[in-house]
Amino acid sequence: MTEAALIDWSRAQFALTACYHWLFVPLTLGLAVIMAVMETVYVVRKDEFWKSAARFWQKIFGINFAVGIATGIILEFEFGTNWSNYSWFVGDIFGAPLAIEGILAFFMEATFVAVMFFGWDKVGRRFHLASTWLTGIGATISALWILVANGWMQHPVGMEFNPDTVRHEMVDFWAVVSNPVAVTKFFHSVLSGWMTGAVFVIGVSCWYLMRGREQRFAKASIRVASVVGIAGTVAVMFTGDRSGIHVAEYQPMKLAAAEGLMEGGTRAPFSLVPGIEIPGMLSILATHDIDGYVPGINDLLDGYTAPDGTAGLSAEAKKERGDLALNAFKVYRENRDTDPEAAAAARKVLEENVEYFGYGYIRDREELVPPVWLVYWPFRLMVGLGCFLLLLMSAVLWLEYRGKIERFRWLHAVALCSIPLVYIAGQCGWIVAEVGRQPWAIQDLLPVSAAVSSLSTGSVITTFCIFVAVFTLFLAIEIRIMIRAIRKGPEAVPAENPSAGPETGRTLTSGQD
Amino acid sequence: MDYIFLQQYWWFIVSLLGGLLVFLMFVQGANAMIFSVGKTEEERSMAVNSTGRKWEFTFTALVTFGGAFFASFPLFYSTSFGGAYWLWILILVSFVFQAVSYEFQTKPGNLLGRNTFRIFLVINGCLGPFLIGAAVATFFTGSDFTVDKDAIGNGVAPVISSWGNGWHGLDALANPWNIVLGLAVMFLAQVLGLLYMTGNIDDDTLRERMRKRLWASSAFFLVFFVAFLVHIMTCPGYAASQDGTTVMEPFKYWHNLTGMPAVMAVFAAGVLAVLYGIARTLACGKYRRGIWWAGAGTVLAVVSLFLIAGYNGTAYYPSTADIQSSLTIFNSSSSPFTLEVMTYVSFIIPFVLAYIAYAWRAMDRRPITREEIGSTDDKY
């Protein structure tokens, strides 16, 4: 019997690793674009100022990148160490994107990040610029493949169950790659990384403005970052809307939980906060139709019939079909060598019910409902913060464009304080996506209780504690080093006057400590 | 493409990644010796910066080795990683500390101080290759696990792969032969580390010191490597018979070597190349290309060892608890469709190797000197 505590601790460990990983990845994705744009300007205009700006953000990028790698390797191997049953059951589909990520993306990052950091004096300007871009492109390609993998767990497509090998097998690679959930998730996540990078750069730059330091650098950084950030945010909102449609279609329980919607219906209201609702808004968001039907938690458990005639099975009916599938699987396995007729009959039953396979492991209908508050509140926080940050970046860009940004000291403080907010928004997004799909490791096919490795709970608690300690230590060090690097500021730009000699490149400008 | 061909092809790709990983562990080997090769801060900085521009490759090779194994032989991924839990976690944690140690060691505000991060590099430098070697040795010595695919039909306890004891992988360290291969890989990494730095650092003091170190590291490596080799060539092995069952066969790995003359030739060439790289560096003080001979030789030798473990009807991940649970490349692989898709993906590997080689050459055109380390800002 798989212990409940083992499942909880295994989930906690995976969540911990994923959350920490997502503290570092979005900054990598966002800074990659911003610093590459700056270096491009340098190569085009040959202005040393832009080189110094790009180099400063590359230094910050490097500090952050290392911890992203450290948390990432644990995440990849945890599928095997902690979710071994999962790894066999769907490894035929799930392993491929992970391997492609390694071959296609990680080597690209590894190769060109080294050229970017250490190659300034070793390779030509254009090769260096290409390396900077390729580092960011590598990181983005890596995000693509891991999100293809994640999207597949949320909405499994392109596979068939094979009872002889006891696993799902890929039959359509293109369906896996072009999975609408994966495509939306890719753009939503990567562009939210642009937001993170932008808000970070704006916040740090505003700190310089507050201190009256590095004026030109700060304003140039604000300009580049807010354009990248606004573009990212608009796209994040658009893909967020697509995401809502997908969730309504493929994971209605996640949507119901995110809305705290117990009883659904047509013209379903959107809850801003408990007690304040916008009538009909949820139907519009979920179906792009004010008369669209959105089932609530109780509808999904008890079964429902929408006005257009589509019916949703009750939890019990799904459980019944899951039991049929699981039982047919057993009968098939027992008879496949001895009684081909019985095996063929069992296989037919299995094929008819395989889409409910995971329900065979569900004991109690309550297991099918994710913790509502942990989906409802993060969702609101994410959307609210996203809107606020769009407003902030627009204001900052406008004021910088009008040349007034130095005067708005309160805005500098707001921008600086917004750095943690963009991280909270990103974390909330993943909490909605991952808590909202509980209890499923693979939607409807395998619950976490059947996906977990057979380990002692004590072992998993021990590794959980090790990871908490190690990742927290790394985070603390990263923040300290970053603060020091930011206080020190960008390298001085060599004076325009060539007679000043090469040594001026190393002298500090006034105002720096 | 025929299923058996695809399974063999993917075992070859996994073997190749394994070979590249062992070669790239020159990074670990060099790190293990930061304090003994570098006596002054300047020298240590040269050593750290030499491998510090390459460590991402080793890290990526490890991750890709895992990813490719997952995609092509998922039953190994689920059985070994979920079963030998502690062994893999220790390997990962040692690499995790390494990942941040380069970047953080000389940065102001790093909390723990420069030497702590260098000690992390030393620990990873010893433990990483040692544990990976010990884990790979279980491909020959076997592990305590059972696989029961019918279990998935059990709604209450559906776990397919179970480990036979509570040590969850640490039991690998109870078998002396795993330790022997672990030590062989650890010393091989040091040999490669010394050869790499000899080529990559232009400094007479360091080169002399490293040449002295190379005698000892090479001797230890050879002792442990030959011992392990003699052991597997004489011990019984796990043979996968035609009907899908696994049986013990005396001198199985020796039979594999003699039964596959091409593999034997590659293996011999690999071993000779490693020895040549070492010997010429030891004999000639000015010789700097030893890493390429020894590195290429390492890749060839490791690939052949993997092929001996998996080809010719052999169970590459044998179970000592239940011999019929042993994994072969046939009973643990992905479906033909997935292997075929991945095979198309693998065609870009030469392209990847090409751009790595291009960037590598561009970066290493000039070896590291005291002047460079003293003047550049682009260093750890």
Side-chain angles (χ1 to χ4, degrees):
Chain A
M1 169 90 199
T2 311
E3 281 178 73
L6 172 66
I7 301 162
D8 289 343
W9 281 104
S10 303
R11 282 183 58 201
Q13 179 171 315
F14 200 86
L16 171 87
T17 321
C19 286
Y20 263 100
H21 190 52
W22 195 250
L23 284 178
F24 309 105
V25 172
L27 187 62
T28 296
L29 294 168
L31 273 185
V33 179
I34 293 167
M35 68 199 194
V37 168
M38 289 177 163
E39 197 180 327
T40 308
V41 177
Y42 159 64
V43 170
V44 172
R45 292 198 196 158
K46 314 258 185 323
D47 178 351
E48 290 289 325
F49 164 78
W50 286 99
K51 179 178 174 184
S52 149
R55 277 177 63 97
F56 176 77
W57 293 116
Q58 282 169 9
K59 191 167 156 192
I60 302 292
F61 177 93
I63 298 165
N64 180 67
F65 190 67
V67 198
I69 296 177
T71 47
I73 192 171
I74 301 281
L75 202 54
E76 163 149 358
F77 283 96
E78 269 176 358
F79 289 110
T81 54
N82 293 82
W83 305 99
S84 72
N85 238 29
Y86 170 90
S87 293
W88 172 250
F89 194 62
V90 296
D92 197 58
I93 307 108
F94 194 83
L98 263 60
I100 298 173
E101 185 186 18
I103 296 169
L104 217 57
F106 290 154
F107 277 111
M108 191 186 276
E109 285 182 85
T111 307
F112 295 106
V113 84
V115 179
M116 184 178 84
F117 287 139
F118 306 110
W120 282 103
D121 303 329
K122 293 179 188 291
V123 301
R125 256 203 292 255
R126 282 166 193 283
F127 185 16
H128 193 277
L129 176 65
S131 300
T132 303
W133 276 107
L134 286 168
T135 303
I137 291 169
T140 308
I141 295 176
S142 143
L144 170 69
W145 289 103
I146 197 62
L147 293 168
V148 162
N150 182 277
W152 188 84
M153 300 163 93
Q154 315 270 354
H155 176 49
V157 289
M159 80 298 179
E160 266 171 20
F161 183 66
N162 181 345
D164 291 317
T165 52
V166 194
R167 65 175 173 195
H168 286 272
E169 294 180 349
M170 194 177 350
V171 294
D172 185 350
F173 180 66
W174 182 241
V176 173
V177 176
S178 64
N179 184 349
V181 176
V183 174
T184 308
K185 209 172 249 302
F186 166 69
F187 286 106
H188 196 64
S189 309
V190 168
L191 295 165
S192 83
W194 290 24
M195 283 178 78
T196 309
V199 172
F200 181 90
V201 168
I202 292 171
V204 171
S205 302
C206 281
W207 182 78
Y208 286 130
L209 292 180
M210 275 165 83
R211 291 295 181 99
R213 285 178 51 184
E214 327 289 348
Q215 303 275 331
R216 184 182 172 198
F217 166 77
K219 286 194 278 183
S221 296
I222 285 174
R223 197 171 279 211
V224 174
S226 46
V227 172
V228 169
I230 290 168
T233 312
V234 171
V236 162
M237 287 177 164
F238 178 73
T239 50
D241 172 66
R242 296 300 312 163
S243 204
I245 304 272
H246 294 324
V247 171
E249 191 172 347
Y250 306 127
Q251 298 175 304
M253 185 58 92
K254 185 193 279 185
L255 183 73
E259 292 309 313
L261 185 72
M262 297 312 290
E263 309 296 338
T266 55
R267 295 189 177 239
F270 179 80
S271 156
L272 281 177
V273 287
I276 305 176
E277 292 179 341
I278 308 175
M281 191 63 192
L282 180 58
S283 286
I284 295 178
L285 287 176
T287 62
H288 283 191
D289 173 8
I290 193 162
D291 290 317
Y293 177 83
V294 182
I297 291 171
N298 288 337
D299 304 312
L300 289 163
L301 291 179
D302 298 335
Y304 63 88
T305 309
D308 66 356
T310 50
L313 292 183
S314 68
E316 285 71 22
K318 288 176 178 171
K319 164 81 183 140
E320 201 174 297
R321 293 190 61 181
D323 288 341
L324 275 174
L326 213 55
N327 203 40
F329 168 78
K330 274 187 274 192
V331 173
Y332 174 80
R333 294 286 293 184
E334 279 158 17
N335 291 295
R336 66 183 180 140
D337 296 330
T338 50
D339 185 348
E341 254 173 58
R347 186 168 183 147
K348 192 161 175 291
V349 176
L350 175 60
E351 276 163 11
E352 284 163 0
N353 296 288
V354 75
E355 58 184 303
Y356 297 98
F357 195 87
Y359 288 89
Y361 300 104
I362 302 294
R363 300 267 78 80
D364 180 9
R365 68 185 339 226
E366 296 305 319
E367 286 173 40
L368 295 171
V369 186
V372 172
W373 67 273
L374 198 50
V375 192
Y376 179 89
W377 284 110
F379 182 67
R380 265 136 205 87
L381 212 51
M382 171 185 76
V383 174
L385 288 173
C387 295
F388 164 74
L389 293 169
L390 179 61
L391 213 62
L392 174 77
M393 287 188 280
S394 310
V396 165
L397 180 62
W398 172 249
L399 290 172
E400 152 56 19
Y401 182 69
R402 299 295 304 267
K404 293 181 189 166
I405 184 88
E406 296 98 320
R407 279 186 260 153
F408 288 80
R409 294 190 63 83
W410 62 270
L411 192 63
H412 303 161
V414 171
L416 182 60
C417 297
S418 297
I419 294 178
L421 299 183
V422 75
Y423 283 95
I424 293 172
Q427 295 286 320
C428 284
W430 278 107
I431 291 171
V432 172
E434 299 302 298
V435 175
R437 68 163 146 134
Q438 292 306 318
W440 302 111
I442 312 151
Q443 187 70 35
D444 296 342
L445 298 179
L446 194 74
V448 285
S449 60
V452 75
S453 298
S454 169
L455 291 163
S456 74
T457 310
S459 288
V460 181
I461 294 176
T462 312
T463 47
F464 176 85
C465 294
I466 293 172
F467 292 151
V468 169
V470 171
F471 295 158
T472 309
L473 176 72
F474 288 175
L475 180 66
I477 297 173
E478 162 170 341
I479 292 173
R480 262 177 69 105
I481 294 179
M482 267 192 187
I483 290 174
R484 287 284 192 98
I486 289 166
R487 280 209 183 121
K488 185 161 176 278
E491 297 161 34
V493 181
E496 304 262 328
N497 179 2
S499 65
E503 278 308 303
T504 40
R506 304 212 183 285
T507 56
L508 296 169
T509 47
S510 58
Q512 280 190 325
D513 47 10
Chain B
M1 280 176 267
D2 158 38
Y3 198 17
I4 292 177
F5 166 77
L6 288 168
Q7 288 163 325
Q8 309 249 15
Y9 175 77
W10 271 93
W11 183 252
F12 171 75
I13 295 287
V14 166
S15 307
L16 181 64
L17 285 166
L20 290 171
L21 173 63
V22 176
F23 158 54
L24 289 166
M25 279 200 288
F26 73 77
V27 169
Q28 271 62 35
N31 284 343
M33 299 176 291
I34 297 171
F35 292 102
S36 54
V37 164
K39 298 293 182 201
T40 64
E41 171 50 29
E42 186 184 41
E43 291 170 354
R44 285 175 192 167
S45 179
M46 287 164 84
V48 165
N49 277 285
S50 175
T51 54
R53 295 166 190 180
K54 296 289 176 281
W55 73 268
E56 286 105 336
F57 288 121
T58 316
F59 208 84
T60 304
L62 175 61
V63 175
T64 308
F65 177 71
F69 228 140
F70 190 9
S72 49
F73 301 99
L75 193 56
F76 169 79
Y77 198 81
S78 64
T79 303
S80 181
F81 285 88
Y85 187 75
W86 280 109
L87 184 59
W88 292 110
I89 293 280
L90 279 180
I91 291 172
L92 293 177
V93 169
S94 92
F95 275 87
V96 160
F97 273 97
Q98 185 238 24
V100 297
S101 292
Y102 280 111
E103 182 67 30
F104 287 176
Q105 58 180 308
T106 54
K107 292 272 190 302
N110 67 10
L111 208 66
L112 305 177
R114 189 174 62 203
N115 275 351
T116 310
F117 287 105
R118 289 195 179 154
I119 290 168
F120 290 156
L121 289 182
V122 173
I123 293 172
N124 168 252
C126 297
L127 213 55
F130 171 73
L131 292 175
I132 287 178
V136 170
T138 64
F139 284 23
F140 297 94
T141 57
S143 304
D144 184 13
F145 67 88
T146 51
V147 174
D148 173 19
K149 288 183 188 167
D150 286 326
I152 210 102
N154 182 336
V156 187
V159 178
I160 290 173
S161 301
S162 322
W163 208 250
N165 62 66
W167 291 97
H168 275 288
L170 295 181
D171 44 314
L173 303 180
N175 182 328
W177 291 111
N178 297 342
I179 304 242
V180 168
L181 187 64
L183 291 171
V185 174
M186 187 179 96
F187 285 111
L188 173 62
Q190 296 190 2
V191 168
L192 295 170
L194 289 166
L195 294 176
Y196 178 75
M197 288 194 291
T198 301
N200 192 238
I201 300 175
D202 189 8
D203 188 84
D204 292 338
T205 319
L206 281 182
R207 198 174 308 152
E208 250 337 280
R209 205 177 287 150
M210 291 196 287
R211 212 147 65 104
K212 279 188 198 135
R213 257 319 280 252
L214 187 56
W215 281 104
S217 298
S218 308
F220 280 119
F221 159 64
L222 281 177
V223 168
F224 289 114
F225 175 69
V226 169
F228 186 79
L229 196 63
V230 170
H231 170 68
I232 59 166
M233 286 304 144
T234 52
C235 73
Y238 297 77
S241 50
Q242 294 291 340
D243 59 0
T245 57
T246 306
V247 292
M248 292 306 282
E249 182 187 316
F251 298 100
K252 172 65 184 160
Y253 300 108
W254 171 248
H255 293 160
N256 286 358
L257 199 60
T258 51
M260 300 186 288
V263 174
M264 179 146 53
V266 171
F267 182 69
V271 172
L272 286 175
V274 171
L275 293 177
Y276 177 75
I278 295 172
R280 189 157 171 198
T281 310
L282 286 174
C284 171
K286 295 234 181 308
Y287 188 64
R288 320 214 358 210
R289 294 176 185 278
I291 181 64
W292 298 116
W293 284 100
T298 300
V299 175
L300 295 180
V302 174
V303 168
S304 338
L305 277 180
F306 268 85
L307 297 185
I308 291 168
Y311 278 4
N312 201 33
T314 313
Y316 71 87
Y317 199 58
S319 167
T320 52
D322 164 32
I323 190 171
Q324 299 316 331
S325 288
S326 300
L327 306 189
T328 67
I329 60 173
F330 306 114
N331 69 15
S332 66
S333 81
S334 281
S335 65
F337 182 83
T338 297
L339 288 182
E340 193 171 337
V341 168
M342 292 304 300
T343 298
Y344 291 120
V345 172
S346 74
F347 293 159
I348 69 160
I349 291 177
F351 174 72
V352 173
L353 291 175
Y355 74 64
I356 290 175
Y358 181 76
W360 189 304
R361 276 177 65 94
M363 295 293 289
D364 282 7
R365 209 176 297 135
R366 277 167 296 164
I368 293 177
T369 57
R370 286 182 196 256
E371 291 73 47
E372 186 197 335
I373 286 298
S375 65
T376 183
D377 289 335
D378 301 333
K379 66 173 179 188
Y380 291 115

